[in-house]
Amino acid sequence: MRISLPSDKRTVFQETWSTTAQKTIVAFANGSGGFLCLGVTQTGDVVGCDYDETAGAVLSFANDGVAPTLRDSVRVEPIRLDGKTVAVVCVLPGAETPVCLKGIPPTQGVFVRRNGKIVAVTIDDILRSVRFGKCREWEVRPAQEEPLTFSDTTTIFDEAGLSFERKIWSELGLLDKEGGFTNLALLLSDQNPSIIRLNFYRPDGTFEHAERLSGPLLRQAHGLRQRLDTLHSPRPDRNTDSEGRHETRSGPSAALRTAIRFFITHRNYDSPVDAVVNVFANRLTFMAKGALPPQPPFKEMRLSEADCCPNRRLADLLRRLDPPGFACGDFADLFAAYADLRQRPVIQHMDESFVLELPCVAVASGSEA
């Protein structure tokens, strides 16, 4: 049996557990994560492996073979293919980076993936990794700006029928142990410095105009969804007669919901670079500093948002509010929404940034969930 690599290029096939496999895990942890499939040749032929022995070696390495530990960032699952067992190692971005092979100097033991290859990093790479390597902790750090006000966010909670009284701010993650505002509070505040830019392009690909979404992040999220919904609202299908006429969209709405949520929750807000949505006639591209989770190589595998989201409390807030347009499933649903269509979403990672592209295709209103 031969299997093919997923399109996001963050899956590696290797026949056995080896030093190269160890370097692959380190490289994934220092980047945006990935899957290492042990028991598969590089050409995709399934040869199988001793799962118990392989899984034990991988987890022992994650616990004791690297520094800092990857105990909470690595898990192993068995997948049966053609009567053989493949050990699929899921590697999430390290909670702290750079991750290094234990007992080896950093300039020799720190690896990253570039253009599909594993390479040792330079001193400049290590210093940059130290600077941005704790993005998972960013939302709970103390905010540098005070006082903060929450007029818009309070209104959003009121509209959802939820309380936003100060007594629940600690529970939501807006206050630290000392009672000071966190970076998550800054995102929800009227003083939020982060913005989203929308760039609009004509059908011939030339730039037309730009718009800017500012204010509390929840308000930006609502504004982005409404703006894109307006642009891609249902329209009559001219290719059907009057009796069979039905409405079509320019893409699955479930995919748009998921894309916006991941665009918001997987952004690295420690970076001053604006998040951008490019609106073309045939596609939408979401671009931001940060990292999206890797696409699972097998349908049986699903990543929970709690596992791979750097802004977990922000994601929890969106689920708690459950506003129209954000009630959707996990990352796999983004691709499932295009399962019956010729075109597919495209995910790219480069220079600590991600690009998520949704093709615009005609979808009958009755064909999607």
Side-chain angles (χ1 to χ4, degrees):
M1 177 181 179
R2 175 169 291 183
I3 54 180
S4 57
L5 285 170
S7 60
D8 69 352
K9 298 181 180 179
R10 284 186 289 166
T11 295
V12 172
F13 294 157
Q14 291 188 9
E15 291 189 49
T16 60
W17 176 245
S18 62
T19 301
T20 302
Q22 294 176 357
K23 293 179 180 179
T24 299
I25 289 177
V26 170
F28 279 149
N30 282 324
S32 51
F35 288 96
L36 171 63
C37 299
L38 297 169
V40 184
T41 69
Q42 292 186 359
T43 57
D45 293 311
V46 177
V47 296
C49 69
D50 182 325
Y51 175 76
D52 290 337
E53 179 181 335
T54 301
V58 170
L59 294 177
S60 176
F61 171 75
N63 287 334
D64 304 317
V66 291
T69 180
L70 292 176
R71 182 181 300 108
D72 298 325
S73 300
V74 172
R75 71 169 187 257
V76 190
E77 295 185 23
I79 296 292
R80 294 287 292 177
L81 298 171
D82 198 24
K84 301 171 184 177
T85 301
V86 173
V88 182
V89 184
C90 174
V91 184
L92 301 173
E96 295 186 32
T97 58
V99 176
C100 178
L101 292 174
K102 188 175 288 186
I104 297 179
T107 52
Q108 301 175 26
V110 180
F111 301 92
V112 295
R113 276 178 63 83
R114 288 182 182 151
N115 300 319
K117 297 181 180 179
I118 299 173
V119 297
V121 302
T122 65
I123 289 295
D124 288 341
D125 291 328
I126 293 174
L127 292 176
R128 185 169 61 253
S129 181
V130 170
R131 170 69 180 88
F132 293 105
K134 295 186 178 181
C135 61
R136 277 176 173 260
E137 302 176 0
W138 181 86
E139 62 180 351
V140 298
R141 295 181 200 164
Q144 299 301 310
E145 183 174 346
E146 293 200 28
L148 301 178
T149 58
F150 304 92
S151 57
D152 260 6
T153 297
T154 301
T155 300
I156 291 173
F157 270 73
D158 288 343
E159 292 171 349
L162 299 175
S163 169
F164 193 69
E165 297 179 3
R166 187 181 180 91
K167 62 183 181 182
I168 69 166
W169 287 1
S170 294
E171 175 189 345
L172 296 176
L174 274 64
L175 300 176
D176 59 22
K177 294 180 180 179
E178 287 72 39
F181 286 123
T182 63
N183 282 329
L184 177 61
L186 179 61
L187 291 180
L188 302 185
S189 73
D190 303 318
Q191 291 75 29
N192 174 30
S194 64
I195 66 170
I196 298 174
R197 287 192 293 112
L198 287 87
N199 296 324
F200 295 85
Y201 294 83
R202 302 181 183 90
D204 63 1
T206 59
F207 178 77
E208 183 177 5
H209 74 281
E211 297 179 8
R212 187 174 181 268
L213 297 175
S214 59
L217 187 62
L218 293 179
R219 182 64 68 193
Q220 292 184 34
H222 281 273
L224 179 60
R225 175 58 203 258
Q226 292 172 353
R227 190 71 177 94
L228 295 182
D229 259 349
T230 300
L231 290 168
H232 300 278
S233 59
R235 61 188 182 276
D237 186 349
R238 298 179 179 178
N239 295 323
T240 58
D241 56 32
S242 58
E243 292 183 0
R245 179 170 296 181
H246 59 284
E247 292 184 331
T248 63
R249 286 182 179 270
S250 56
S253 60
L256 181 59
R257 290 197 301 267
T258 303
I260 293 175
R261 193 183 75 201
F262 274 80
F263 177 62
I264 296 292
T265 59
H266 286 71
R267 179 180 173 185
N268 179 6
Y269 291 95
D270 197 23
S271 170
V273 178
D274 295 343
V276 177
V277 179
N278 292 320
V279 182
F280 296 93
N282 63 345
R283 67 191 186 278
L284 298 172
T285 62
F286 300 82
M287 306 169 60
K289 287 287 186 179
L292 293 178
Q295 180 187 351
F298 305 107
K299 294 181 180 179
E300 299 89 340
M301 303 185 65
R302 297 178 79 88
L303 286 177
S304 71
E305 192 165 5
D307 283 338
C308 52
C309 183
N311 300 297
R312 301 182 190 185
R313 290 182 175 272
L314 176 59
D316 287 341
L317 266 179
L318 289 180
R319 283 193 293 269
R320 182 185 296 237
L321 287 167
D322 197 25
F326 287 97
C328 51
D330 62 21
F331 192 70
D333 294 328
L334 179 69
F335 293 90
Y338 282 83
D340 298 326
L341 303 173
R342 182 174 58 84
Q343 295 172 287
R344 295 285 187 272
V346 176
I347 298 173
Q348 295 178 315
H349 283 82
M350 58 194 80
D351 297 330
E352 300 171 346
S353 300
F354 66 84
V355 178
L356 170 58
E357 180 178 298
L358 292 186
C360 295
V361 292
V363 179
S365 58
S367 66
E368 57 177 321

